[in-house]
């Protein structure tokens, strides 16, 4: 590589990620195969370094499992998803539906449009809060389920 290529590479390496290349650098890269190859290799190396480190995990290694449980009490082995009790969610959902039905049955006794509107707005807020609390309290379950479906391999993913 010549002096011009060294200057172009220095200029390229000084740029921040996603910053536009100067016209002169773009033009040089377009016509210089060596610089184009080196920049492609830099881009591939950066992409590889940005990926999470994957370390194969021995399937029945109890020492690693015990160590991970000592570090994090809530640790669950990959592939094993913690059981979530749906009893409290079902009971509270049934209670909400029953409350709505009781109001609808007793509605002719009160027959007030303002009260009806207030009830339906309140009920919509309660159902929305119910759904939001359900999803937020069980988000780790959904994330683990999605990751298990995406990656069926027996690897430990470490983000550095």
């Amino acid at each position: 590589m010549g002096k011009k290529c060294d200057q172009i590479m220095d200029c390229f390496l000084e740029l921040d990620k996603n910053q536009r290349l100067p016209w002169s650098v773009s033009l040089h890269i377009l016509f210089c195969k060596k610089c184009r190859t080196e920049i492609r290799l830099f881009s591939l190396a950066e992409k590889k370094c940005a990926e999470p480190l994957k370390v194969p995990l021995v399937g029945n290694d109890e020492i690693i499992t015990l160590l991970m449980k000592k570090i994090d009490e809530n640790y669950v082995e990959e592939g094993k998803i913690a059981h979530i009790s749906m009893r409290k969610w079902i009971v509270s959902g049934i209670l909400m539906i029953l409350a709505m039905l009781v109001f609808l049955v007793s509605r002719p006794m009160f027959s007030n449009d303002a009260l009806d509107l207030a009830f339906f707005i309140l009920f919509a807020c309660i159902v929305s809060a119910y759904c939001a609390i359900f999803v937020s309290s069980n988000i780790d379950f959904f994330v683990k389920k999605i990751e298990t479906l995406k990656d069926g391999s027996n690897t430990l993913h470490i983000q550095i």
Side-chain angles (χ1 to χ4, degrees), residues 49-69:
C49 289
E51 290 179 1
L53 179 63
K54 293 183 180 182
V55 179
L57 180 64
V58 179
N60 294 329
D61 197 354
E62 293 178 18
I63 296 172
I64 293 176
T65 304
L66 291 173
L67 179 65
M68 290 302 292
K69 285 191 179 191

Side-chain angles (χ1 to χ4, degrees), residues 4 52 56 59 71 87 94 100 109-110 127-128 149 156:
K4 176 74 174 172
I71 293 171
R87 184 178 307 152
I94 290 172
M100 185 181 76
M109 293 181 352
F110 300 113
V127 169
S128 298
L149 293 175
L156 175 65

Side-chain angles (χ1 to χ4, degrees), residues 75-127:
Y75 173 75
V76 178
E77 287 183 61
E78 190 172 324
K80 293 182 181 177
I81 298 175
H83 177 68
I84 295 177
S85 174
M86 294 301 219
R87 184 178 307 152
K88 63 181 179 179
W89 293 105
I90 293 172
V91 169
S92 60
I94 290 172
L95 289 176
M96 280 192 328
I97 291 170
L98 288 176
M100 185 181 76
L101 290 175
V102 166
F103 180 79
L104 290 175
V105 170
S106 65
R107 195 172 117 199
M109 293 181 352
F110 300 113
S111 166
N112 186 351
D113 290 337
L115 184 64
D116 288 347
L117 180 63
F119 171 75
F120 289 123
I121 290 173
L122 177 67
F123 189 73
C125 291
I126 290 171
V127 169

Side-chain angles (χ1 to χ4, degrees), residues 74 81-82 84 135-147:
N74 298 325
I81 298 175
I84 295 177
V135 170
S136 65
S137 66
N138 296 311
I139 194 72
D140 58 335
F141 168 78
F142 294 118
V143 169
K144 288 177 183 176
K145 188 73 171 172
I146 290 169
E147 286 177 358

Side-chain angles (χ1 to χ4, degrees), residues 29-43:
I29 292 171
L30 183 65
F31 292 108
C32 181
K33 186 176 181 176
K34 289 180 183 180
C35 290
R36 196 170 49 242
T37 303
E38 194 167 333
I39 288 173
R40 186 169 16 95
L41 291 175
F42 277 136
S43 298

